[in-house]
Amino acid sequence: HHIIEAHPDVLAEMHRRGWHEKSGVHIHTGRWQEVISRLAPQSLDAVFFDTWQETYVELRAFLQHLPRLLRPGGRFSFFNGLAPYSIF
């Protein structure tokens, strides 16, 4: 389980809750743009991408890394927080 996180408050809360001590959990500090190249090829079974503060440009750039990162049959999902306003 790889977690890429840049926000210091979130990192502090993860540390407080002991995530850094959980077996199989790897916490990477920084923005995904800074960290993603350090992840081994075909090392992930699934990727969940949270689009917080990202635009379509960043999402598209991220998507280009998936063929390298995902194992054959790997899955991808993301939180679509890209729409700034609700039409409802």
Side-chain angles (χ1 to χ4, degrees):
H1 189 101
H2 293 265
I3 301 169
I4 300 173
E5 181 56 59
H7 197 287
D9 292 344
V10 174
L11 289 164
E13 181 64 15
M14 289 170 59
H15 187 79
R16 187 186 73 76
R17 293 180 180 223
W19 276 90
H20 64 291
E21 297 173 341
K22 294 182 183 286
S23 176
V25 173
H26 307 278
I27 299 172
H28 306 274
T29 301
R31 297 182 72 222
W32 70 262
Q33 295 92 332
E34 303 159 351
V35 173
I36 202 163
S37 64
R38 298 192 302 246
L39 298 178
Q42 295 188 346
S43 60
L44 305 175
D45 294 314
V47 171
F48 179 78
F49 184 76
D50 185 340
T51 60
W52 172 252
Q53 293 293 333
E54 300 286 339
T55 68
Y56 288 106
V57 173
E58 286 91 3
L59 177 58
R60 183 177 174 152
F62 182 82
L63 293 175
Q64 293 175 352
H65 293 278
L66 293 178
R68 181 184 73 80
L69 294 172
L70 286 172
R71 292 185 177 121
R75 304 291 180 152
F76 170 70
S77 183
F78 70 101
F79 170 74
N80 184 358
L82 297 171
Y85 305 104
S86 173
I87 62 170
F88 301 104

